[in-house]
Amino acid sequence: MSKAYFISGVDTDCGKTYVAARLAAHLRASGRNVITQKPVQTGCTTVAEDLVEHRKVMGCNMLPEDREKRTCTYLFPIPASPHLSARLAGQSIDVSQISKDTQYLLQRYDIVLVEGAGGLMVPLTDELLTIQYVAAQKLPLILVTTSKLGGINHAILSMEVCRVYGVELHIVVYNRFPSDDKVMADDAYEVISQHAKRLFPNVNIVDFKSADSFYNTNM
């Protein structure tokens, strides 16, 4: 049965796009028919740069669904949150069309990895936060956390808001890049992992160090 997962990060530059690409590459190498989706990309004019990065890491060219614009429903030139980027472009975001594109991809692929723009509390529209969309669509969440200073706070806030909105936290990816202080990074990993397990006992914890990090992922 085909399944879609939503990938979000705890902060800007936490490695969400690269982690999404590496997970897709791992699934593809293990024989799964997988595609990534970037429903809203801001700061681009002709092509979704995150999708280009995904395909590069996956070891493939842009896919037919990319050219059909089913993997990126909305592309806006101003690098801001989706609701503002859309407004500045004189457009609006129809989240039902995003959902339709995901369903279209699920008809063709076993797994669809939907990478969000920014974090969970970023507005998709003036009325809808990203996490509200994730909850309404009942998408299991893959949360990319970071070893950077402040990462514990951002990770726990994100996990708590998942609990409040009833979002299933499927995987927590602890991104160790960059990891300038091993003692701090190791401690942050333990704190984030323990909190995740308390809130979501069935969550998978991935200590992301290399391309091999996803081999024990339950997907």
Side-chain angles (χ1 to χ4, degrees):
M1 182 177 178
S2 298
K3 191 158 188 176
Y5 298 83
F6 196 89
I7 301 179
S8 188
V10 298
D11 198 3
T12 303
D13 295 328
C14 68
K16 172 169 55 73
T17 296
Y18 183 71
V19 167
R22 280 258 53 101
L23 176 56
H26 161 69
L27 293 169
R28 194 167 187 256
S30 63
R32 307 299 294 277
N33 190 21
V34 59
I35 193 169
T36 58
Q37 180 185 8
K38 182 76 178 186
V40 183
Q41 175 87 72
T42 67
C44 302
T45 56
T46 57
V47 64
E49 293 177 355
D50 288 356
L51 288 177
V52 173
E53 177 68 14
H54 292 171
R55 304 297 174 255
K56 178 181 175 182
V57 175
M58 290 167 67
C60 64
N61 296 320
M62 297 300 280
L63 299 169
E65 293 81 9
D66 299 324
R67 293 188 288 272
E68 294 167 6
K69 302 187 184 303
R70 303 308 290 259
T71 52
C72 184
T73 311
Y74 294 100
L75 188 68
F76 302 121
I78 303 298
S81 61
H83 78 295
L84 178 58
S85 295
R87 187 190 311 153
L88 293 173
Q91 300 183 48
S92 60
I93 291 175
D94 180 358
V95 294
S96 69
Q97 185 58 54
I98 293 174
S99 178
K100 288 176 184 175
D101 284 341
T102 302
Q103 293 305 313
Y104 177 84
L105 297 173
L106 284 169
Q107 293 174 9
R108 297 186 174 194
Y109 291 86
D110 300 329
I111 295 176
V112 178
L113 301 177
V114 185
E115 184 190 342
L120 290 168
M121 301 305 285
V122 167
L124 266 179
T125 70
D126 290 332
E127 297 81 25
L128 191 73
L129 300 174
T130 296
I131 195 164
Q132 292 173 315
Y133 177 79
V134 176
Q137 297 295 314
K138 296 181 169 53
L139 297 172
L141 180 70
I142 299 170
L143 180 67
V144 181
T145 69
T146 175
S147 61
K148 294 187 294 186
L149 188 63
I152 292 176
N153 177 67
H154 294 336
I156 291 177
L157 284 173
S158 296
M159 290 187 285
E160 288 286 353
V161 85
C162 286
R163 178 182 61 81
V164 170
Y165 280 91
V167 170
E168 175 196 344
L169 186 58
H170 184 65
I171 301 174
V172 170
V173 180
Y174 181 69
N175 184 13
R176 284 187 177 263
F177 300 103
S179 184
D180 299 327
D181 188 313
K182 187 176 185 303
V183 173
M184 288 179 61
D186 287 346
D187 180 73
Y189 171 75
E190 292 300 326
V191 172
I192 291 170
S193 298
Q194 290 171 14
H195 198 86
K197 286 289 186 182
R198 279 197 296 270
L199 290 179
F200 302 92
N202 296 321
V203 70
N204 297 277
I205 309 293
V206 173
D207 192 354
F208 187 71
K209 301 174 183 177
S210 69
D212 297 334
S213 301
F214 289 110
Y215 280 130
N216 294 320
T217 302
N218 178 27
M219 291 184 72

